[in-house]
């Protein structure tokens, strides 16, 4: 029997590896989908409305919350002042992204904006309160991508535009207060400064008109969401785009779920092919084992015992493949977590265990076929 197992070891190992990688792929895809969905839900829940210049609503949301795409056109500062004074508004966070430092985008905003994006700071100096509270109007936080070149306590200057000349550079320096934790987004290559400090250096440089790129709004009561949205669209003389981020992201979520289901189905099909390969390997070796079965019958082995042995072999292979797949998945998520931090902050839901259970049950049904065949053959021997 040991010789028989050795002869089938090569074919069995290929089946085990195929099934293990299909399980790992299924779990990794599901993990990434769940992590992204959880992160998007948490970030989008921080702001009820986003106000910007007329543009595609989805583009405005993606840039405002995740920095995907080019910045939207500017809007005047007085729009923010009027919105912040509305009774229904709990807070409004103005955001300007038209300045830069050596090719890195400089974002002027408030602590509410940083809290909405769940940004946390490390190595910050002289700060009181929360880790992302600006100490004064000349403080700055740098993204994790700049941490190798800059340290807290150093100073930097910014300039107007993304391709500035010497005359566009502001003379007032900002002091680096801290380094933001890695997010895996383009914010890792951003510099965040207080919007009040940005307005002051613009004024000192001779820029008379204040402007913003977008405004995040948090309402006191969500039941007034659509009312405030319509009011903002009709009140101002300046054309505005007022979007509800949760609704726009839900539209994108439909396509994300559809793509995730396609990848999950592909992974499941790979698992089924691995099980079929395992079955054909067992069937191909069945003829080679006739002499072995006759020998075992001569020494007193009963048909149900031989059927049990035939069933045990593929079931052990399936269990080993499932366990190996889970180990590969865990190692993969550790690697992905160091590359995309949001991926490491999620626990898989129960439905993924159901996927594994369904693969195991299908494997059991596949293993029963050669076992039943062995039972019938041994009875005739």
């Amino acid at each position: 029997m040991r010789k028989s197992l050795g002869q089938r070891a090569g074919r069995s190992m290929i089946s085990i590896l195929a099934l293990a990688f299909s399980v790992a792929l299924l779990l990794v895809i599901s993990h990434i989908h769940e992590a992204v969905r959880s992160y998007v839900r948490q970030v989008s829940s921080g702001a009820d409305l986003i106000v910007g210049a007329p543009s595609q609503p989805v583009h405005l949301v993606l840039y405002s919350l995740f920095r995907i795409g080019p910045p939207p056109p500017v809007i005047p500062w007085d729009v923010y002042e009027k919105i912040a004074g509305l009774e229904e508004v709990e807070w409004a966070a103005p955001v300007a992204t038209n300045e830069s430092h050596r090719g890195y985008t400089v974002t002027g905003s408030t602590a509410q904006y940083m809290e909405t994006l769940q940004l946390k700071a490390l190595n910050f100096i002289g700060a009181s309160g929360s880790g992302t509270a600006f100490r004064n109007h000349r403080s700055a936080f740098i993204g994790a991508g700049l941490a190798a070149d800059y340290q807290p306590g150093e100073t930097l200057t910014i300039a107007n535009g993304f391709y500035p000349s010497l005359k566009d550079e502001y003379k007032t320096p900002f002091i680096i207060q801290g380094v933001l934790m890695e997010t895996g987004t383009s914010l890792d290559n951003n510099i965040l400064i207080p919007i009040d400090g940005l307005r002051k250096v613009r004024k000192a440089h001779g820029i008379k008109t204040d402007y913003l790129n977008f405004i995040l709004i948090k309402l006191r009561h969500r039941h007034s969401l659509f009312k405030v949205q319509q009011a903002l669209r009709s009140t101002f003389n300046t054309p505005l785009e007022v979007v509800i981020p949760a609704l726009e992201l839900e539209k994108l979520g439909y396509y994300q779920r559809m793509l995730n289901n396609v990848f999950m189905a592909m992974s499941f099909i790979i698992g089924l092919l691995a099980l079929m390969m395992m079955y054909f390997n067992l069937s191909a070796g069945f003829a080679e084992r006739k002499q072995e079965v006759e020998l075992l019958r001569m020494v007193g082995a009963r048909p149900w015992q031989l059927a049990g042995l035939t069933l045990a072999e593929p079931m052990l292979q399936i269990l080993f493949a499932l366990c190996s797949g889970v180990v590969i998945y865990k190692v993969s998520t550790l690697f992905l977590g160091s590359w995309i931090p949001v991926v490491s902050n999620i626990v898989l839901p129960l439905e993924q265990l159901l996927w594994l259970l369904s693969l195991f049950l299908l494997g059991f049904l596949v293993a029963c076929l050669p076992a039943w065949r062995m039972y019938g053959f041994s009875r005739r021997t």
Side-chain angles (χ1 to χ4, degrees):
M1 183 177 290
R2 184 178 300 176
K3 182 180 179 180
S4 176
L5 288 172
Q7 292 174 346
R8 298 192 303 276
R11 291 176 298 187
S12 299
M13 187 57 65
I14 294 174
S15 302
I16 291 171
L17 288 176
L19 184 57
F21 278 110
S22 70
V23 169
L25 184 62
L26 187 148
L27 292 175
V28 167
I29 291 172
S30 182
H31 185 104
I32 293 175
H33 168 73
E34 191 64 27
V36 171
R37 187 175 67 172
S38 176
Y39 176 70
V40 168
R41 185 169 56 244
Q42 291 174 10
V43 171
S44 63
S45 64
D48 296 323
L49 292 170
I50 300 176
V51 177
S55 61
Q56 288 293 329
V58 172
H59 165 239
L60 182 59
V61 172
L62 290 178
Y63 184 82
S64 303
L65 299 180
F66 309 106
R67 289 303 173 87
I68 299 175
V74 297
I75 56 176
W77 176 264
D78 60 350
V79 172
Y80 160 70
E81 292 180 331
K82 293 176 181 178
I83 290 175
L86 295 177
E87 183 180 354
E88 297 91 344
V89 175
E90 181 178 346
W91 56 257
V95 184
T97 60
N98 275 51
E99 276 73 20
S100 64
H101 168 77
R102 298 181 182 177
Y104 297 109
T105 301
V106 175
T107 300
S109 190
T110 62
Q112 282 93 349
Y113 176 70
M114 300 174 72
E115 291 172 5
T116 300
L117 269 59
Q118 300 182 349
L119 301 178
K120 299 178 182 178
L122 295 172
N123 303 326
F124 54 98
I125 58 171
S128 59
S130 64
T132 53
F134 292 109
R135 183 177 57 173
N136 54 50
H137 68 274
R138 289 181 55 198
S139 298
F141 286 100
I142 60 173
L146 285 73
D149 301 321
Y150 301 91
Q151 295 296 325
E154 296 181 2
T155 60
L156 53 83
T157 57
I158 64 175
N160 184 26
F162 294 98
Y163 303 99
S165 60
L166 288 175
K167 65 178 183 179
D168 295 320
E169 185 173 354
Y170 304 154
K171 303 302 180 183
T172 306
F174 286 84
I175 302 172
I176 299 174
Q177 179 180 325
V179 180
L180 297 173
M181 293 180 65
E182 190 175 7
T183 63
T185 67
S186 60
L187 282 169
D188 293 337
N189 294 318
N190 269 223
I191 300 169
L192 279 80
I193 61 175
I195 190 69
D196 292 336
L198 178 59
R199 295 182 66 201
K200 288 181 180 180
V201 297
R202 280 177 177 174
K203 187 176 181 180
H205 191 68
I207 299 176
K208 297 180 180 180
T209 57
D210 272 332
Y211 48 86
L212 305 167
N213 290 88
F214 57 89
I215 305 168
L216 301 186
I217 301 174
K218 185 70 174 178
L219 301 178
R220 299 184 188 277
H221 306 288
R222 283 188 60 85
H223 61 75
S224 60
L225 187 62
F226 294 101
K227 174 185 174 183
V228 175
Q229 182 187 32
Q230 293 300 323
L232 293 178
R233 285 175 173 173
S234 58
T235 300
F236 296 94
N237 295 326
T238 304
L240 295 175
E241 185 69 56
V242 185
V243 300
I244 302 173
L247 291 181
E248 298 302 326
L249 291 173
E250 183 61 29
K251 296 176 184 177
L252 290 178
Y254 169 76
Y255 297 102
Q256 182 197 3
R257 288 190 296 271
M258 185 170 62
L259 186 62
N260 176 75
N261 291 337
V262 170
F263 285 126
M264 293 282 284
M266 291 173 60
S267 303
F268 198 75
I269 290 172
I270 294 173
L272 291 178
L273 292 176
L275 292 175
M276 291 175 63
M277 187 189 305
M278 193 174 294
Y279 169 74
F280 287 125
N281 287 339
L282 291 170
S283 299
F286 189 79
E288 303 170 4
R289 302 178 66 183
K290 288 184 178 180
Q291 187 177 359
E292 177 187 329
V293 173
E294 292 172 354
L295 181 61
L296 290 173
R297 285 290 284 160
M298 288 176 61
V299 297
R302 298 185 177 183
W304 66 268
Q305 292 174 325
L306 294 174
L309 287 174
T310 307
L311 178 65
E313 180 182 335
M315 291 308 298
L316 288 174
Q317 293 178 12
I318 292 169
L319 281 174
F320 182 74
L322 292 178
C323 294
S324 301
V326 172
V327 171
I328 296 172
Y329 152 70
K330 287 293 184 182
V331 174
S332 301
T333 51
L334 288 176
F335 171 75
L336 288 172
S338 62
W339 182 38
I340 311 174
V342 296
V343 171
S344 60
N345 300 326
I346 195 70
V347 177
L348 278 177
L350 182 62
E351 64 185 61
Q352 308 316 318
L353 298 178
L354 297 179
W355 279 101
L356 295 180
L357 181 60
S358 62
L359 273 177
F360 179 79
L361 292 177
L362 284 173
F364 175 76
L365 293 176
V366 170
C368 284
L369 296 177
W372 178 255
R373 188 177 173 188
M374 175 61 76
Y375 180 78
F377 175 75
S378 59
R379 282 179 61 90
R380 295 190 299 270
T381 302

